[in-house]
Amino acid sequence: DIRPTWKSIMNNAYATNKWAGVARRKHYNDADMLEVGNGKLTIAEQRSHFALWCLLKSPLLIGADVRKLSNESLDILKNH
């Protein structure tokens, strides 16, 4: 399972990337929940995390309580 640390995010991204060749329409690689807004990730790490999940063609499942997100984290999820 993913945790809100940069090491965990990168380990998960490397593991998911192994399946990139089989991703296609209606068949997605699930890299686990987004950790944007969780833990002590910097804004740059949160942006990078979001971008990695997009590049991996993973479903963008929000793993944080959106009612408690900072404006910066919310902007990342809204792709602003």
Side-chain angles (χ1 to χ4, degrees):
D1 286 339
I2 195 166
R3 296 179 317 273
T5 66
W6 188 244
K7 181 178 179 179
S8 178
I9 289 167
M10 290 306 298
N11 286 340
N12 196 295
Y14 286 124
T16 303
N17 189 50
K18 293 176 185 175
W19 298 99
V22 296
R24 61 187 187 281
R25 187 172 175 257
K26 297 186 180 183
H27 298 275
Y28 307 101
N29 295 322
D30 183 5
D32 213 335
M33 295 284 196
L34 284 166
E35 293 293 344
V36 173
N38 287 333
K40 296 181 181 181
L41 295 170
T42 67
I43 294 299
E45 288 171 334
Q46 291 180 57
R47 283 189 192 115
S48 298
H49 174 32
F50 186 84
L52 275 169
W53 263 227
C54 292
L55 290 168
L56 292 167
K57 299 178 183 169
S58 180
L60 302 176
L61 303 173
I62 301 169
D65 185 344
V66 295
R67 299 169 297 175
K68 298 179 182 179
L69 289 175
S70 69
N71 288 333
E72 292 99 342
S73 294
L74 191 56
D75 282 346
I76 292 167
L77 293 174
K78 292 177 2 182
N79 202 23
H80 282 189

